[in-house]
Coordinates of all heavy atoms in Angstrom, one line a residue:
M1 N -14.1 9.8 9.7 CA -13.8 9.6 8.3 C -12.9 10.8 7.7 O -13.1 11.9 8.1 CB -15.1 9.7 7.5 CG -16.0 8.4 7.7 SD -15.5 7.0 6.7 CE -16.7 5.8 7.2
E2 N -12.1 10.4 6.9 CA -11.3 11.4 6.2 C -11.9 11.7 4.8 O -12.9 11.1 4.4 CB -9.8 10.9 6.0 CG -9.2 10.8 7.4 CD -7.7 10.6 7.3 OE1 -7.1 10.5 6.2 OE2 -7.0 10.5 8.4
A3 N -11.3 12.6 4.1 CA -11.9 13.1 2.8 C -12.1 12.0 1.8 O -13.1 12.1 1.0 CB -11.0 14.2 2.2
D4 N -11.3 10.9 1.8 CA -11.5 9.9 0.8 C -12.4 8.8 1.3 O -12.5 7.7 0.7 CB -10.1 9.3 0.5 CG -9.3 8.7 1.6 OD1 -9.9 8.7 2.7 OD2 -8.2 8.4 1.5
G5 N -13.1 8.9 2.4 CA -14.0 7.9 2.9 C -13.5 6.8 3.8 O -14.3 6.0 4.2
H6 N -12.2 6.8 4.1 CA -11.6 5.8 4.9 C -11.4 6.4 6.3 O -10.8 7.5 6.4 CB -10.3 5.3 4.3 CG -10.6 4.5 3.1 ND1 -11.1 3.2 3.0 CD2 -10.5 4.9 1.8 CE1 -11.2 2.8 1.8 NE2 -10.8 3.8 1.0
P7 N -11.7 5.7 7.4 CA -11.5 6.3 8.7 C -10.0 6.4 9.1 O -9.2 5.6 8.6 CB -12.2 5.3 9.6 CG -12.2 4.0 8.8 CD -12.3 4.4 7.4
A8 N -9.7 7.3 9.9 CA -8.3 7.5 10.4 C -7.9 6.4 11.3 O -6.7 6.1 11.4 CB -8.2 8.9 11.1
A9 N -8.8 5.7 11.9 CA -8.4 4.6 12.8 C -9.6 3.6 12.8 O -10.7 3.9 12.5 CB -8.2 5.1 14.2
R10 N -9.3 2.3 13.0 CA -10.3 1.3 13.1 C -9.8 0.3 14.2 O -8.8 0.4 14.7 CB -10.5 0.6 11.8 CG -9.2 0.2 11.0 CD -9.5 -0.4 9.7 NE -9.9 -1.8 9.9 CZ -10.9 -2.5 9.3 NH1 -11.6 -1.8 8.4 NH2 -11.2 -3.7 9.5
A11 N -10.7 -0.7 14.4 CA -10.4 -1.7 15.5 C -9.7 -2.9 14.8 O -10.0 -3.4 13.8 CB -11.6 -2.2 16.2
C12 N -8.7 -3.5 15.5 CA -7.9 -4.6 15.1 C -8.8 -5.9 15.1 O -9.5 -6.1 16.1 CB -6.7 -4.8 16.0 SG -5.8 -6.3 15.6
G13 N -8.8 -6.7 14.1 CA -9.6 -7.9 14.0 C -9.0 -9.0 14.9 O -9.7 -10.0 15.1
K14 N -7.8 -8.9 15.3 CA -7.1 -9.9 16.1 C -7.3 -9.7 17.6 O -7.6 -10.5 18.4 CB -5.7 -10.0 15.7 CG -5.4 -10.9 14.5 CD -4.0 -11.4 14.5 CE -3.9 -12.6 13.6 NZ -2.5 -13.1 13.5
C15 N -6.9 -8.5 18.0 CA -6.8 -8.2 19.4 C -7.8 -7.1 19.9 O -7.9 -6.8 21.1 CB -5.4 -7.9 19.8 SG -4.9 -6.2 19.4
G16 N -8.4 -6.4 18.9 CA -9.3 -5.3 19.3 C -8.7 -4.0 19.6 O -9.3 -3.1 19.9
G17 N -7.3 -4.0 19.4 CA -6.6 -2.7 19.6 C -6.9 -1.7 18.6 O -7.6 -1.9 17.6
R18 N -6.4 -0.5 18.8 CA -6.6 0.6 17.9 C -5.7 0.5 16.7 O -4.5 0.3 16.9 CB -6.4 1.9 18.6 CG -6.6 3.2 17.7 CD -6.4 4.4 18.5 NE -6.6 5.6 17.7 CZ -5.6 6.2 16.9 NH1 -4.4 5.6 16.9 NH2 -5.9 7.2 16.2
M19 N -6.2 0.5 15.5 CA -5.4 0.5 14.3 C -5.3 1.8 13.7 O -6.3 2.4 13.3 CB -5.9 -0.5 13.3 CG -6.0 -2.0 13.8 SD -6.4 -3.1 12.5 CE -4.8 -3.4 11.8
E20 N -4.1 2.3 13.5 CA -3.9 3.6 13.0 C -3.6 3.5 11.5 O -2.9 2.7 11.0 CB -2.6 4.3 13.7 CG -2.4 5.7 13.2 CD -1.1 6.3 13.8 OE1 -0.4 5.5 14.5 OE2 -0.9 7.5 13.6
R21 N -4.2 4.4 10.8 CA -4.0 4.5 9.3 C -2.6 5.0 9.0 O -2.1 5.9 9.6 CB -5.1 5.4 8.7 CG -5.0 5.5 7.2 CD -6.0 6.4 6.7 NE -5.7 6.5 5.2 CZ -6.5 7.2 4.4 NH1 -7.6 7.7 4.8 NH2 -6.2 7.3 3.1
G22 N -2.1 4.3 7.9 CA -0.8 4.8 7.4 C -0.6 4.3 6.0 O -1.6 3.9 5.4
F23 N 0.6 4.2 5.6 CA 0.9 3.7 4.3 C 2.3 3.1 4.2 O 3.1 3.4 5.1 CB 0.7 4.7 3.1 CG 1.7 5.9 3.2 CD1 2.9 5.9 2.5 CD2 1.4 7.0 4.0 CE1 3.8 7.0 2.6 CE2 2.2 8.1 4.1 CZ 3.4 8.1 3.4
A24 N 2.6 2.2 3.3 CA 3.9 1.6 3.2 C 4.7 2.5 2.2 O 4.3 2.8 1.1 CB 3.8 0.2 2.6
A25 N 5.9 2.9 2.7 CA 6.7 3.8 1.8 C 7.9 3.0 1.3 O 8.5 2.2 2.1 CB 7.2 5.0 2.6
E26 N 8.2 3.1 0.1 CA 9.4 2.5 -0.5 C 10.5 3.5 -0.8 O 10.1 4.6 -1.2 CB 9.1 1.6 -1.6 CG 8.6 2.3 -2.8 CD 8.5 1.4 -4.1 OE1 8.8 0.3 -4.0 OE2 8.0 1.9 -5.1
N27 N 11.7 3.1 -0.7 CA 12.8 4.1 -1.0 C 13.4 3.7 -2.3 O 13.9 2.6 -2.5 CB 13.8 3.9 0.1 CG 15.0 4.9 0.0 OD1 15.1 5.6 -1.0 ND2 15.8 5.0 1.0
S28 N 13.4 4.6 -3.2 CA 14.1 4.4 -4.5 C 14.9 5.6 -4.8 O 14.4 6.8 -5.0 CB 13.0 4.2 -5.6 OG 13.6 4.2 -6.9
Q29 N 16.2 5.5 -4.9 CA 17.1 6.5 -5.2 C 16.9 7.7 -4.3 O 16.8 8.9 -4.7 CB 17.0 7.0 -6.7 CG 17.5 5.9 -7.7 CD 16.9 6.1 -9.1 OE1 16.1 7.0 -9.3 NE2 17.3 5.3 -10.0
N30 N 16.9 7.4 -3.0 CA 16.7 8.3 -1.9 C 15.4 9.1 -1.9 O 15.3 10.2 -1.3 CB 17.9 9.3 -1.8 CG 19.1 8.6 -1.1 OD1 18.9 7.8 -0.2 ND2 20.3 9.0 -1.6
R31 N 14.4 8.6 -2.7 CA 13.1 9.3 -2.6 C 12.1 8.2 -2.1 O 12.1 7.1 -2.6 CB 12.7 9.7 -4.0 CG 13.4 10.9 -4.5 CD 13.0 11.2 -5.9 NE 13.5 12.5 -6.3 CZ 12.9 13.2 -7.3 NH1 11.9 12.8 -7.9 NH2 13.4 14.4 -7.6
Y32 N 11.3 8.7 -1.2 CA 10.3 7.8 -0.6 C 9.0 8.0 -1.4 O 8.7 9.2 -1.6 CB 10.1 8.0 0.9 CG 11.2 7.4 1.7 CD1 12.3 8.1 2.1 CD2 11.1 6.0 2.1 CE1 13.3 7.6 2.8 CE2 12.2 5.5 2.8 CZ 13.2 6.2 3.2 OH 14.2 5.7 3.9
S33 N 8.3 6.9 -1.7 CA 7.0 7.1 -2.3 C 6.1 6.0 -1.8 O 6.6 4.9 -1.5 CB 7.1 7.1 -3.8 OG 7.8 6.0 -4.3
P34 N 4.8 6.3 -1.8 CA 3.8 5.2 -1.3 C 3.8 4.1 -2.3 O 3.9 4.2 -3.5 CB 2.5 6.0 -1.3 CG 2.8 7.4 -1.4 CD 4.1 7.5 -2.1
V35 N 3.7 2.9 -1.7 CA 3.6 1.6 -2.5 C 2.3 1.6 -3.2 O 1.3 2.0 -2.6 CB 3.8 0.4 -1.6 CG1 3.5 -0.9 -2.3 CG2 5.2 0.4 -1.0
K36 N 2.2 1.1 -4.4 CA 1.0 0.9 -5.2 C 0.6 -0.6 -5.3 O 1.5 -1.4 -5.3 CB 1.1 1.5 -6.6 CG 1.6 3.0 -6.6 CD 0.4 3.9 -6.4 CE 0.8 5.3 -6.6 NZ -0.3 6.2 -6.3
W37 N -0.6 -0.8 -5.6 CA -1.1 -2.2 -5.9 C -1.3 -2.3 -7.4 O -1.7 -1.4 -8.1 CB -2.4 -2.5 -5.2 CG -3.0 -3.8 -5.4 CD1 -2.7 -4.9 -4.7 CD2 -3.9 -4.2 -6.5 NE1 -3.4 -6.0 -5.2 CE2 -4.1 -5.6 -6.3 CE3 -4.5 -3.5 -7.5 CZ2 -4.9 -6.3 -7.1 CZ3 -5.3 -4.3 -8.4 CH2 -5.5 -5.6 -8.2
H38 N -0.8 -3.5 -7.9 CA -1.0 -3.8 -9.4 C -1.5 -5.2 -9.5 O -1.1 -6.1 -8.8 CB 0.4 -3.6 -10.1 CG 0.3 -3.7 -11.6 ND1 0.1 -4.8 -12.3 CD2 0.4 -2.7 -12.5 CE1 0.1 -4.5 -13.6 NE2 0.3 -3.3 -13.7
P39 N -2.5 -5.4 -10.4 CA -3.1 -6.8 -10.5 C -2.1 -7.7 -11.2 O -1.2 -7.3 -12.0 CB -4.3 -6.6 -11.4 CG -4.0 -5.3 -12.1 CD -3.2 -4.4 -11.3
G40 N -2.2 -9.0 -10.9 CA -1.4 -10.0 -11.5 C -0.1 -10.3 -10.9 O 0.3 -9.6 -9.9
A41 N 0.7 -11.3 -11.4 CA 2.0 -11.5 -10.9 C 3.0 -10.6 -11.6 O 2.8 -10.1 -12.7 CB 2.4 -13.0 -11.3
P42 N 4.1 -10.2 -10.9 CA 5.1 -9.3 -11.5 C 5.8 -10.0 -12.7 O 6.2 -11.1 -12.6 CB 6.1 -9.0 -10.4 CG 5.8 -10.1 -9.4 CD 4.5 -10.6 -9.5
E43 N 5.8 -9.2 -13.8 CA 6.4 -9.7 -15.0 C 7.5 -8.8 -15.5 O 7.3 -7.6 -15.5 CB 5.4 -9.8 -16.1 CG 4.7 -11.1 -16.4 CD 3.8 -11.1 -17.6 OE1 4.3 -11.1 -18.7 OE2 2.6 -10.9 -17.4
R44 N 8.6 -9.3 -15.9 CA 9.7 -8.5 -16.4 C 9.7 -8.5 -17.9 O 9.5 -9.5 -18.5 CB 11.1 -8.9 -15.9 CG 11.3 -8.7 -14.4 CD 12.7 -9.2 -14.1 NE 13.0 -9.3 -12.7 CZ 13.6 -8.4 -12.0 NH1 14.1 -7.3 -12.5 NH2 13.8 -8.6 -10.7
S45 N 10.0 -7.4 -18.5 CA 10.2 -7.3 -20.0 C 11.7 -7.7 -20.3 O 12.5 -7.9 -19.4 CB 9.9 -6.0 -20.5 OG 10.9 -5.1 -20.1
W46 N 12.0 -7.8 -21.5 CA 13.4 -8.1 -21.9 C 14.4 -7.1 -21.4 O 15.6 -7.5 -21.3 CB 13.5 -8.3 -23.4 CG 13.2 -7.1 -24.2 CD1 12.0 -6.6 -24.6 CD2 14.1 -6.1 -24.6 NE1 12.1 -5.4 -25.2 CE2 13.4 -5.1 -25.3 CE3 15.5 -5.9 -24.5 CZ2 14.0 -3.9 -25.8 CZ3 16.1 -4.7 -25.0 CH2 15.3 -3.8 -25.7
T47 N 14.0 -5.9 -21.1 CA 15.0 -4.9 -20.5 C 15.2 -5.2 -19.1 O 16.1 -4.5 -18.5 CB 14.4 -3.5 -20.7 OG1 13.2 -3.4 -19.9 CG2 14.1 -3.2 -22.1
G48 N 14.5 -6.1 -18.4 CA 14.7 -6.3 -17.0 C 13.8 -5.4 -16.1 O 13.7 -5.6 -14.9
M49 N 13.0 -4.5 -16.8 CA 12.1 -3.7 -16.0 C 10.8 -4.4 -15.9 O 10.4 -5.2 -16.7 CB 11.8 -2.4 -16.8 CG 13.0 -1.6 -17.2 SD 13.5 -0.4 -15.8 CE 12.3 0.9 -16.1
Y50 N 10.1 -4.2 -14.7 CA 8.8 -4.8 -14.5 C 7.8 -4.1 -15.4 O 7.8 -2.8 -15.6 CB 8.4 -4.6 -13.1 CG 9.1 -5.6 -12.2 CD1 10.1 -5.2 -11.3 CD2 8.8 -7.0 -12.2 CE1 10.8 -6.1 -10.5 CE2 9.5 -7.9 -11.4 CZ 10.5 -7.4 -10.6 OH 11.1 -8.3 -9.8
K51 N 6.9 -4.9 -16.0 CA 5.8 -4.3 -16.8 C 4.8 -3.8 -15.9 O 4.2 -4.5 -15.1 CB 5.2 -5.4 -17.7 CG 6.2 -6.0 -18.7 CD 5.4 -7.1 -19.5 CE 6.4 -7.8 -20.4 NZ 5.7 -9.0 -21.0
I52 N 4.5 -2.5 -16.0 CA 3.5 -1.8 -15.2 C 2.5 -1.1 -16.1 O 2.9 -0.3 -17.0 CB 4.2 -0.7 -14.3 CG1 5.1 -1.4 -13.3 CG2 3.2 0.1 -13.6 CD1 4.5 -2.3 -12.3
D53 N 1.2 -1.4 -15.9 CA 0.2 -0.6 -16.5 C -0.3 0.5 -15.5 O -1.0 0.2 -14.6 CB -1.0 -1.6 -16.9 CG -2.1 -0.8 -17.5 OD1 -2.1 0.4 -17.7 OD2 -3.1 -1.5 -17.9
K54 N 0.1 1.7 -15.8 CA -0.1 2.8 -14.8 C -1.6 3.0 -14.5 O -2.0 3.4 -13.4 CB 0.6 4.1 -15.3 CG 2.1 4.0 -15.1 CD 2.7 5.4 -15.4 CE 4.2 5.3 -15.2 NZ 4.9 6.4 -15.8
K55 N -2.4 2.7 -15.5 CA -3.9 2.9 -15.3 C -4.4 1.9 -14.3 O -5.5 2.2 -13.7 CB -4.6 2.7 -16.6 CG -4.3 3.8 -17.7 CD -5.3 3.7 -18.8 CE -5.2 2.5 -19.6 NZ -3.9 2.4 -20.4
Q56 N -3.7 0.8 -14.1 CA -4.2 -0.2 -13.1 C -3.7 0.0 -11.7 O -4.1 -0.8 -10.8 CB -3.8 -1.6 -13.6 CG -4.3 -1.9 -15.0 CD -5.1 -3.1 -15.1 OE1 -6.1 -3.2 -14.3 NE2 -4.8 -4.0 -16.0
L57 N -2.8 0.9 -11.5 CA -2.2 1.1 -10.2 C -3.2 1.7 -9.2 O -4.0 2.6 -9.6 CB -1.0 2.0 -10.3 CG 0.2 1.4 -11.0 CD1 1.3 2.5 -11.1 CD2 0.8 0.2 -10.2
R58 N -3.2 1.2 -8.0 CA -4.1 1.7 -7.0 C -3.2 2.1 -5.8 O -2.3 1.5 -5.4 CB -5.1 0.7 -6.5 CG -6.2 0.5 -7.6 CD -7.1 -0.6 -7.2 NE -8.1 -0.8 -8.2 CZ -9.3 -0.2 -8.2 NH1 -9.6 0.6 -7.2 NH2 -10.2 -0.4 -9.1
D59 N -3.7 3.2 -5.1 CA -3.0 3.6 -3.8 C -3.2 2.5 -2.8 O -4.4 2.0 -2.6 CB -3.6 4.9 -3.4 CG -3.1 6.1 -4.2 OD1 -2.1 5.9 -4.9 OD2 -3.9 7.1 -4.3
V60 N -2.2 2.2 -2.0 CA -2.3 1.2 -0.9 C -2.2 2.0 0.4 O -1.4 2.8 0.6 CB -1.2 0.2 -1.0 CG1 -1.1 -0.7 0.2 CG2 -1.3 -0.6 -2.3
M61 N -3.2 1.7 1.2 CA -3.1 2.2 2.6 C -2.9 1.0 3.6 O -3.3 -0.1 3.3 CB -4.3 3.0 3.0 CG -5.5 2.2 3.2 SD -6.9 3.3 3.7 CE -7.7 3.4 2.2
A62 N -2.4 1.3 4.7 CA -2.1 0.2 5.7 C -2.6 0.7 7.0 O -2.3 1.8 7.5 CB -0.6 -0.1 5.7
Y63 N -3.4 -0.2 7.7 CA -3.7 0.1 9.1 C -2.8 -0.8 10.0 O -2.7 -2.0 9.8 CB -5.2 -0.3 9.3 CG -6.1 0.7 8.8 CD1 -6.7 0.6 7.5 CD2 -6.5 1.8 9.5 CE1 -7.6 1.5 7.0 CE2 -7.4 2.7 9.0 CZ -7.9 2.6 7.8 OH -8.8 3.5 7.3
R64 N -2.2 -0.2 11.0 CA -1.3 -0.9 11.9 C -1.9 -0.8 13.3 O -2.2 0.2 13.8 CB 0.1 -0.2 11.9 CG 1.1 -0.9 12.8 CD 2.3 -0.1 13.0 NE 3.1 -0.6 14.1 CZ 2.9 -0.2 15.4 NH1 2.0 0.7 15.6 NH2 3.6 -0.7 16.3
C65 N -1.9 -2.1 13.9 CA -2.5 -2.2 15.2 C -1.4 -1.7 16.2 O -0.2 -2.1 16.2 CB -2.8 -3.6 15.5 SG -3.4 -3.8 17.2
E66 N -1.8 -0.8 17.1 CA -0.8 -0.2 18.1 C -0.5 -1.3 19.2 O 0.4 -1.1 19.9 CB -1.4 1.0 18.7 CG -1.5 2.2 17.7 CD -2.2 3.4 18.2 OE1 -2.8 3.3 19.3 OE2 -2.1 4.5 17.6
R67 N -1.4 -2.3 19.3 CA -1.2 -3.3 20.4 C -0.4 -4.5 19.9 O 0.6 -4.8 20.5 CB -2.5 -3.7 20.9 CG -2.4 -4.4 22.3 CD -3.7 -4.9 22.8 NE -4.7 -3.8 23.1 CZ -6.0 -4.1 23.4 NH1 -6.5 -5.3 23.4 NH2 -6.8 -3.0 23.6
C68 N -0.8 -5.1 18.8 CA -0.1 -6.4 18.4 C 0.7 -6.2 17.2 O 1.5 -7.1 16.8 CB -1.2 -7.5 18.2 SG -2.1 -7.3 16.7
G69 N 0.6 -5.0 16.5 CA 1.5 -4.7 15.4 C 1.0 -5.3 14.0 O 1.7 -5.1 13.0
M70 N -0.1 -5.9 14.0 CA -0.7 -6.5 12.7 C -0.9 -5.3 11.8 O -1.4 -4.2 12.2 CB -1.9 -7.3 13.0 CG -2.4 -8.0 11.7 SD -3.9 -8.9 12.0 CE -5.1 -7.5 11.9
I71 N -0.6 -5.6 10.5 CA -0.9 -4.6 9.5 C -1.9 -5.1 8.5 O -1.8 -6.3 8.0 CB 0.4 -4.2 8.7 CG1 1.3 -3.4 9.7 CG2 0.1 -3.4 7.5 CD1 2.7 -3.1 9.1
E72 N -2.9 -4.3 8.2 CA -3.9 -4.7 7.1 C -3.7 -3.7 6.0 O -3.7 -2.5 6.2 CB -5.3 -4.6 7.6 CG -5.8 -5.8 8.3 CD -7.3 -5.6 8.8 OE1 -7.8 -4.5 8.8 OE2 -7.9 -6.6 9.1
F73 N -3.6 -4.3 4.8 CA -3.4 -3.4 3.6 C -4.7 -3.3 2.8 O -5.5 -4.3 2.7 CB -2.4 -4.0 2.6 CG -1.0 -3.8 3.1 CD1 -0.2 -4.9 3.5 CD2 -0.3 -2.6 3.1 CE1 1.1 -4.8 4.0 CE2 1.0 -2.5 3.5 CZ 1.7 -3.6 4.0
Y74 N -5.0 -2.1 2.3 CA -6.2 -1.9 1.5 C -5.7 -1.2 0.2 O -4.9 -0.2 0.3 CB -7.2 -1.0 2.2 CG -7.9 -1.7 3.4 CD1 -7.3 -1.7 4.6 CD2 -9.0 -2.5 3.2 CE1 -7.8 -2.4 5.7 CE2 -9.6 -3.1 4.3 CZ -9.0 -3.1 5.5 OH -9.5 -3.7 6.6
A75 N -6.2 -1.6 -0.9 CA -6.0 -0.9 -2.2 C -7.3 -0.4 -2.7 O -8.1 -1.2 -3.2 CB -5.3 -1.8 -3.2
A76 N -7.6 0.8 -2.5 CA -9.0 1.3 -2.8 C -9.0 1.9 -4.2 O -8.0 2.3 -4.7 CB -9.4 2.4 -1.7
Ligands
ZN1 ZN1 -4.1 -6.1 17.2

């Protein structure tokens, strides 16, 4: 277990391989940042910007299977 209560590795539900913890990084203006989870469908305002309620954002972590490559996302 790591400090936030999620294990560093778990077993794959498909093939039983080892799933390594990671996260999805997005690139915006040459800066990488972890992807966040937001409830609901994406909605744009009249400015073309997506409406985001920052209080509702959650950190997303991803476990990737080293054998079959499956990724499981969690928003804790
Ligand atoms: Zn697997």
Side-chain angles (χ1 to χ4, degrees):
M1 290 277 179
E2 294 191 359
D4 58 8
H6 294 281
R10 47 179 281 138
C12 176
K14 278 201 160 179
C15 75
R18 180 181 179 273
M19 296 189 86
E20 183 183 9
R21 183 179 170 173
F23 62 94
E26 66 172 356
N27 184 350
S28 171
Q29 292 160 356
N30 280 329
R31 289 176 166 203
Y32 284 94
S33 52
V35 170
K36 304 275 188 188
W37 181 90
H38 190 284
E43 262 186 80
R44 288 181 195 260
S45 70
W46 62 272
T47 61
M49 303 274 283
Y50 285 105
K51 295 180 187 172
I52 295 293
D53 178 358
K54 285 186 179 168
K55 292 192 296 290
Q56 303 238 52
L57 290 175
R58 288 175 178 269
D59 289 334
V60 171
M61 74 176 99
Y63 285 92
R64 178 188 166 275
C65 177
E66 293 173 345
R67 196 183 294 171
C68 74
M70 187 181 78
I71 293 176
E72 275 183 343
F73 286 110
Y74 292 86

